[in-house]
Amino acid sequence: MTRRIALTVLALVTVLLTLAVVPLGVLLTDREQTSFRASAQADAQQLAAAAEETLSDHRSDTSMLQLLAAARVRGDCAAVYDSASHPVARTPCADATGGDVPALVAATLAHPQTSARQVGEQLTVTTPVGDIQDVSGVTVLVRSADPLHDRIWAVWGWLALIGVGGLLAGTFVSVRLARWVGSPLNTLDEAAQRLGEGALEVRAPAGQGPQEVRRLAATFNTMAGRTEALVHGHRTVLADVSHQLRTPLAALRLRLDLLAGDVDGDTAQELAGAQEEIARLSRLVDGLLAVARAEGAVPRPVAVRVDQVVAERLAAWEPVAGERRVALSARGEKELTVLLGAGDLEQVLDNLVANALDAVPEGGSVRIEVATGSGLAGQAAVELRVVDDGPGMSAQARESAFRRFGNPEAGGTGLGLAIVHRLVTANGGAARLEDSAGGGLTVVLDLPRRLRGQGRSGSQQPPTGEPPIAR
């Protein structure tokens, strides 16, 4: 925006200067040419008046010779002809007697009138001597046009200097105006970006720029303040709920454990069922807190090597897979990098692998595949697949699998895929479910790919520590 404002004002100044300077230059050039021609004609007529005293009145030629000497000093060539076209007096230079001057003299004697003709770099003026009815001779004045050209160049030079000065002044004003308007907007844009990344304390300066920009900054600050208050209140409620629920649940579980040691038979079975429900309720509380944290967090993307994270999580889950006699493997392209929040890919893989291991029967397999793909709107992406050969999901279950408690076929809390979906979409990716070839479920993730020279690189952060939650 700053550049557009500066270029617009600069273009306007350029047009105005062009419309003002060019016509003024043409006008002054024409004026200089007219003045040059009029000056030459005046000098020629003055010489003709002095020559008339000699040719018509037969007086002394002193005045005529003085004018010829003055013309020589000015650098002009001049000559006086009688009615027979014979030169009476002239300056030493031959320009007033050679070339086509005799023809001009004859034409002036035949048609007595002052004429001026410019050929190349010389202006030739012929003036009849005496009355039109009784012409006694002709004066010829030849003047170089170099002084005229010098004056014209001086005029255009000054006009160009004025134009450049005006253009520089316009550039300075346009840049200052653009910065005055654009700089607060850029600052506001940066503040909005940081607010979107989770920096809730950020505020925009509200005392810079035009009045409209100041009002916008004030409105943004009000919105940011209310958002910060709401988010902090939400986090406080989560902390309170976590404390208030976990403490009585732990106490209830402890009492049930104490009671279970003193009873037997049907009562012991009932207490065992109650203990299982308490454990399930504890997992449900942990899952709700994990989903709430995932929904409340706004990731700051960093560069993440997919193959490295997959190898790390594969090594972490190998003992669990071996204990359940499930084959856990990975394949695909190497050295692919995505832009995700720190620890998000680890959390996603933990949830997906945990879900798959819970769903796959003994002797089954879970496979992680990595390949180059296309994300939203055809953007570069990395396609990550977690393929299992378990019982899969029905079409109805897949439609609601990414919602909280939306999976009626889940054996656990039904929150694992909801967390995955939230983490992936918060980073600009997409998630979907497909049937595996030969039976089973495939979770497909389109993760935003980091191209060469894009985004920020950084070392991997430790996992978020959220417990994997089964679907």
Side-chain angles (χ1 to χ4, degrees):
M1 178 178 180
T2 301
R3 183 178 301 175
R4 288 197 297 270
I5 293 175
L7 291 178
T8 301
V9 175
L10 189 58
L12 179 61
V13 172
T14 303
V15 170
L16 292 177
L17 286 174
T18 302
L19 293 178
V21 169
V22 173
L24 180 60
V26 173
L27 179 62
L28 292 177
T29 299
D30 184 66
R31 181 177 178 181
E32 288 292 336
Q33 290 175 343
T34 303
S35 176
F36 177 74
R37 188 183 296 266
S39 176
Q41 290 177 352
D43 291 339
Q45 290 174 356
Q46 185 178 8
L47 179 59
E52 183 180 4
E53 295 180 357
T54 301
L55 297 179
S56 299
D57 302 338
H58 304 289
R59 296 181 183 177
S60 173
D61 60 355
T62 302
S63 177
M64 179 182 67
L65 294 177
Q66 289 177 349
L67 291 177
L68 289 174
R72 177 184 177 184
V73 172
R74 290 194 305 268
D76 297 338
C77 291
V80 178
Y81 293 84
D82 57 15
S83 58
S85 300
H86 296 147
V88 175
R90 64 183 182 87
T91 56
C93 56
D95 291 339
T97 57
D100 57 351
V101 172
L104 294 175
V105 172
T108 303
L109 290 172
H111 303 284
Q113 60 180 0
T114 300
S115 63
R117 187 180 69 166
Q118 184 171 349
V119 178
E121 299 298 323
Q122 290 183 336
L123 175 66
T124 303
V125 180
T126 58
T127 304
V129 178
D131 297 332
I132 296 178
Q133 293 80 7
D134 185 16
V135 177
S136 57
V138 175
T139 61
V140 178
L141 178 68
V142 180
R143 178 169 292 178
S144 174
D146 289 340
L148 171 64
H149 295 160
D150 293 341
R151 289 197 296 271
I152 290 177
W153 278 109
V155 168
W156 281 105
W158 280 107
L159 290 177
L161 185 61
I162 293 173
V164 171
L167 192 60
L168 292 177
T171 302
F172 176 77
V173 172
S174 63
V175 170
R176 295 289 296 178
L177 177 63
R179 289 180 178 176
W180 180 61
V181 176
S183 180
L185 290 177
N186 292 334
T187 304
L188 182 60
D189 177 68
E190 293 175 0
Q193 184 176 1
R194 291 183 57 196
L195 180 66
E197 292 175 350
L200 301 178
E201 73 284 354
V202 68
R203 297 293 184 271
Q208 300 177 1
Q211 184 177 0
E212 293 78 5
V213 177
R214 296 181 183 183
R215 286 202 303 265
L216 178 61
T219 304
F220 170 81
N221 291 339
T222 301
M223 178 197 68
R226 292 178 179 176
T227 302
E228 182 180 16
L230 289 174
V231 172
H232 285 169
H234 178 64
R235 291 175 180 174
T236 302
V237 170
L238 286 178
D240 292 342
V241 168
S242 174
H243 177 73
Q244 295 297 331
L245 287 180
R246 285 180 175 179
T247 301
L249 283 175
L252 181 59
R253 186 170 185 175
L254 179 60
R255 292 188 179 187
L256 289 177
D257 290 340
L258 293 175
L259 290 175
D262 298 333
V263 298
D264 54 8
D266 295 338
T267 304
Q269 293 181 357
E270 290 294 332
L271 287 176
Q275 287 175 322
E276 291 179 359
E277 292 298 324
I278 292 296
R280 181 175 179 275
L281 185 58
S282 297
R283 292 195 301 272
L284 179 60
V285 170
D286 290 338
L288 286 174
L289 291 175
V291 173
R293 292 193 189 102
E295 291 180 347
V298 181
R300 181 182 292 269
V302 296
V304 180
R305 277 280 299 274
V306 179
D307 55 338
Q308 293 178 355
V309 176
V310 170
E312 292 173 2
R313 305 324 299 163
L314 209 64
W317 285 97
E318 279 285 358
V320 180
E323 182 181 349
R324 301 185 183 184
R325 297 182 182 181
V326 175
L328 183 60
S329 62
R331 68 183 186 186
E333 301 180 32
K334 303 295 184 182
E335 298 184 357
L336 293 179
T337 305
V338 296
L339 290 172
L340 296 175
D344 285 355
L345 185 56
E346 291 90 336
Q347 173 102 30
V348 167
L349 287 175
D350 283 344
N351 282 339
L352 293 181
V353 173
N355 287 352
L357 291 178
D358 287 343
V360 172
E362 183 177 333
S365 64
V366 177
R367 185 174 65 255
I368 302 176
E369 300 176 353
V370 180
T372 303
S374 59
L376 300 176
Q379 297 178 350
V382 173
E383 186 178 84
L384 189 147
R385 291 172 169 263
V386 178
V387 185
D388 66 54
D389 56 0
M393 281 188 184
S394 64
Q396 181 180 2
R398 287 202 303 269
E399 291 179 358
S400 57
F402 291 130
R403 293 187 296 222
R404 297 179 187 176
F405 314 105
N407 182 9
E409 301 175 10
T413 63
L415 295 173
L417 290 178
I419 295 177
V420 169
H421 183 265
R422 166 58 191 170
L423 292 176
V424 171
T425 55
N427 285 281
R432 63 184 184 276
L433 301 178
E434 298 178 354
D435 290 328
S436 301
L441 181 68
T442 298
V443 182
V444 184
L445 306 180
D446 294 322
L447 306 177
R449 183 180 177 186
R450 177 184 181 269
L451 302 177
R452 187 180 300 273
Q454 174 189 1
R456 292 178 294 182
S457 62
S459 59
Q460 293 301 313
Q461 302 295 327
T464 58
E466 297 295 344
I469 302 170
R471 61 176 175 239

